[in-house]
Amino acid sequence: MSFSPIHADARVLRQIEVLRQHGEVTTVGYGAAPEGVTRHIEVPENASSLPETPFGVAKLALHLHHAVELTAPGERAVLAQVVASGHYDLVIANDARALPLAFAADGSKVYADMHEWAAEERATVFVWRILVGPYMEYLCKKYLPRVAALTSVSAGLAALYGDRYGVNYEIVRNAADLSDLAPTPVDPNIIRLVHSGTADAERNIVELIEATNRLGDRFSLDLYLLEVPGGHLDVIRKLATNSPRVTVHDPVPPAALPTVLNQYDLGVFLYPLKTLSHLYHLPNKLFDFVQARLGLVFSPAPEIDAHIAEYGLGLITAGTTADALVDALRELSVEDVKGFKAAANRAARALSSAPDRAIQDALVSRLLAGDR
């Protein structure tokens, strides 16, 4: 169960591939049925997964959380089908908002896959922080102690869930599948930076552009950006048109991303740490850049720092500003970049989805066998 377009949700699709090795799979989520599932219960496109109705908002404001469970339009639209769909040996809830529906199903065990720190998923948005955050905390407190297993994307986030809710956990990263690529040559005259993701103001993309402009002709920056509500793609495009070394591209499907990015040298990412989810994040793009055989230049965060240090993948900036990126890159040599790309090539298998699939496969086997 995932309140996402499952057919385009890479993490959930990898889970489904593992589950299909163990039995028949039913999915509940937005959009078309994912390939290979036995049954799909579709959540209507415009049916919110949160209780965004006048009564629902009022109850959230009053912290009447029990009264809003299973009342969100998306939940109500599929609840009858879920309840009537028969017994399941295992139910997987992707993120906190899927927990009530998972426990409403006729299932012997529930496994929670928590991608974010649920109570702070969008805590930088005031309305979300005031209304939705406490509801997510309520759902975690009520349901997570009852789950048979929990996974999260990083050691930091998984340990937080274990400590806060007393649940056993394992780590399943958001690593991409192994790509059959090799590092591309580095042009001695220009180091090619690249960033991919959402055109979100929190991603400090404006700072990436500013730093590139200040670094001079020795660097270029290509951006593969997905427009999102509240984003600022128009601002980014306008800034890019005034720079001969910055290019904005349309987004690329996740499966094609490593091949497209392979032509570049360094993947760059500046991300302010405003919430616990931010602090312990281990983003998809780290793994995408590794599969593309790029060096990494990321702003500091404990999980990211550990991975870059362990595998020698690149540099950690001193902060999330344009100044920090300029300072990190100004003295970088072509040989440094070649070394980082070679390190990514050596680490590609370890930082692919294969180890994570093995962890999930073993976990599902234990759960279906009756163990935790």
Side-chain angles (χ1 to χ4, degrees):
M1 298 179 176
S2 180
F3 285 101
S4 68
I6 293 180
H7 66 281
D9 189 325
R11 180 177 179 86
V12 179
L13 290 175
R14 287 193 291 269
Q15 289 176 339
I16 290 170
E17 289 177 8
V18 171
L19 292 170
R20 286 176 57 200
Q21 307 305 309
H22 295 269
E24 297 181 343
V25 180
T26 294
T27 49
V28 181
Y30 294 106
E35 184 178 348
V37 301
T38 303
R39 184 186 182 202
H40 179 62
I41 300 174
E42 183 176 348
V43 180
E45 180 180 357
N46 296 320
S48 173
S49 61
L50 295 172
E52 297 175 344
T53 63
F55 283 124
V57 171
K59 290 174 181 177
L60 287 177
L62 294 170
H63 286 196
L64 299 175
H65 296 140
H66 178 73
V68 294
E69 284 190 62
L70 298 174
T71 66
E75 292 174 313
R76 291 170 63 93
V78 297
L79 178 59
Q81 295 180 72
V82 167
V83 171
S85 59
H87 178 79
Y88 292 101
D89 299 293
L90 180 63
V91 180
I92 298 183
N94 279 273
D95 288 325
R97 67 187 66 194
L99 287 168
L101 195 62
F103 276 90
D106 180 9
S108 58
K109 294 184 180 69
V110 173
Y111 155 21
D113 186 37
M114 309 297 288
H115 307 187
E116 311 269 356
W117 183 246
E120 297 186 9
E121 180 184 344
R122 298 187 63 200
T124 56
V125 178
F126 176 76
V127 172
W128 198 98
R129 183 169 68 249
I130 297 302
L131 294 179
V132 183
Y135 178 52
M136 294 296 111
E137 171 66 24
Y138 160 82
L139 293 179
C140 290
K141 186 176 181 180
K142 177 177 179 178
Y143 290 111
L144 290 185
R146 298 162 53 189
V147 302
L150 180 145
T151 53
S152 193
V153 299
S154 73
L157 283 176
L160 277 176
Y161 278 113
D163 293 343
R164 179 74 62 88
Y165 304 109
V167 60
N168 294 327
Y169 63 83
E170 296 198 47
I171 301 158
V172 175
R173 308 163 305 179
N174 273 338
D177 292 341
L178 181 67
S179 294
D180 185 17
L181 297 169
T184 51
V186 181
D187 187 330
N189 298 311
I190 186 164
I191 295 171
R192 304 191 66 189
L193 310 176
V194 68
H195 174 91
S196 60
T198 58
D200 193 318
E202 291 185 350
R203 305 301 176 97
N204 281 23
I205 299 169
V206 170
E207 284 75 7
L208 298 182
I209 295 173
E210 179 187 339
T212 303
N213 289 334
R214 289 168 52 187
L215 283 163
D217 293 340
R218 194 162 160 262
F219 291 86
S220 68
L221 172 65
D222 285 68
L223 301 166
Y224 291 83
L225 299 176
L226 176 67
E227 190 165 12
V228 292
H232 60 172
L233 186 56
D234 289 343
V235 172
I236 293 167
R237 288 190 186 279
K238 185 175 180 180
L239 289 172
T241 59
N242 296 322
S243 173
R245 296 187 307 282
V246 179
T247 306
V248 180
H249 305 267
D250 290 335
V252 175
L257 196 56
T259 301
V260 172
L261 299 183
N262 182 242
Q263 63 188 297
Y264 301 101
D265 300 314
L266 297 174
V268 290
F269 185 42
L270 302 177
Y271 197 37
L273 307 180
K274 298 179 180 179
T275 70
L276 286 172
S277 280
H278 295 164
L279 178 63
Y280 293 113
H281 74 147
L282 192 57
N284 300 16
K285 57 180 53 58
L286 182 149
F287 301 103
D288 292 334
F289 292 160
V290 168
Q291 292 308 319
R293 306 318 196 259
L294 307 181
L296 308 184
V297 182
F298 277 45
S299 58
E303 302 287 339
I304 289 172
D305 297 357
H307 278 70
I308 290 180
E310 179 178 357
Y311 296 99
L313 298 171
L315 301 175
I316 301 294
T317 65
T320 60
T321 64
D323 286 343
L325 185 57
V326 169
D327 288 344
L329 293 176
R330 185 185 285 119
E331 303 301 326
L332 199 64
S333 71
V334 169
E335 292 306 313
D336 291 332
V337 177
K338 289 179 179 177
F340 297 149
K341 296 178 76 169
N345 193 45
R346 291 191 297 271
R349 184 170 296 277
L351 296 180
S352 75
S353 65
D356 302 293
R357 290 175 190 266
I359 289 169
Q360 284 201 306
D361 183 64
L363 175 59
V364 170
S365 294
R366 292 199 305 271
L367 293 175
L368 293 177
D371 299 325
R372 292 199 177 200

